[in-house]
Amino acid sequence: LRHRTVGDQPALVHQRDPKLLAEVAGIPVTKACQLLAGFELGRRFYATGRGGRPIQVRTNKQAYHYLKDMGNYSKEQLRGLYLNSRYQVIHDEIISVGSLTSNIGHPREVFQPAIERGAVAVIIAHNHPSNVLEPTAADIDVTEQLVAAGEILGIELLDHLIITTNRHVSVMECLEK
């Protein structure tokens, strides 16, 4: 079930909606909430390396490997990976959830968790449920805004990834071309 979808919905372990999980599994909503909490705890546990050390993420390939499950979601989701000075993930946050075709992210929502947790770098990623890997004009504009905001705050935006079912692209690399 890990990477399969049910209709246009992600597999149960990727489900985030307790009402939908309750309906599909035929269980009460309270039990579905408990299951979702267990799934999230499991994701967080397995996100750490051996010995409970945080995972180091420096490249877009490493970030994609960490976030590739986003390609299964039916709605756009903007996520942030917040890194310490050793590029270890100290926080992973869903910044916003959009519709099938759009998502809204503002620099304050992206950088607030970084400031609160003392992160020195951020990698953001969002999925394209349409499986179109090409960055949109809005993706490029948001990336440029975040780079500028990060420079002011002294928090580096390392990358902005677009993730589809089996692939990813770095918006930062697209800007360099």
Side-chain angles (χ1 to χ4, degrees):
L1 278 180
R2 180 136 170 77
H3 292 289
R4 286 191 234 147
T5 58
V6 179
D8 70 340
Q9 296 297 318
L12 291 180
V13 296
H14 298 293
Q15 188 53 252
R16 305 269 194 232
D17 182 354
K19 290 179 184 173
L20 184 60
L21 179 60
E23 181 182 317
V24 170
I27 58 176
V29 174
T30 54
K31 184 57 74 178
C33 289
Q34 291 171 339
L35 284 172
L36 290 177
F39 291 157
E40 182 61 27
L41 287 172
R43 267 191 290 280
R44 291 179 186 189
F45 176 78
Y46 285 107
T48 60
R50 294 175 192 234
R53 292 186 208 124
I55 291 177
Q56 189 176 56
V57 178
R58 290 189 84 142
T59 67
N60 67 52
K61 288 180 183 171
Q62 291 170 327
Y64 170 70
H65 180 71
Y66 185 92
L67 297 166
K68 66 183 171 186
D69 65 320
M70 290 178 65
N72 296 314
Y73 300 151
S74 61
K75 291 183 180 179
E76 276 202 21
Q77 183 181 95
L78 178 64
R79 248 168 100 180
L81 296 181
Y82 299 91
L83 311 172
N84 64 17
S85 61
R86 294 183 177 144
Y87 299 96
Q88 295 171 325
V89 177
I90 56 173
H91 185 63
D92 173 357
E93 182 166 316
I94 298 169
I95 299 165
S96 66
V97 177
S99 67
L100 182 63
T101 58
S102 69
N103 193 348
I104 298 172
H106 192 275
R108 73 178 155 262
E109 283 91 22
V110 172
F111 288 106
Q112 181 179 0
I115 293 166
E116 290 172 352
R117 289 170 177 81
V120 299
V122 177
I123 296 173
I124 62 164
H126 76 280
N127 60 320
H128 278 181
S130 64
N131 269 336
V132 175
L133 203 54
E134 189 73 24
T136 65
D139 294 334
I140 292 169
D141 289 345
V142 165
T143 304
E144 290 172 341
Q145 288 176 4
L146 292 172
V147 167
E151 287 173 359
I152 291 168
L153 294 169
I155 301 170
E156 184 179 8
L157 179 70
L158 288 180
D159 215 330
H160 176 183
L161 302 181
I162 296 172
I163 298 175
T164 63
T165 304
N166 294 313
R167 302 178 307 160
H168 76 284
V169 69
S170 163
V171 178
M172 299 287 276
E173 286 180 3
C174 292
L175 288 175
E176 293 171 1
K177 294 179 183 179

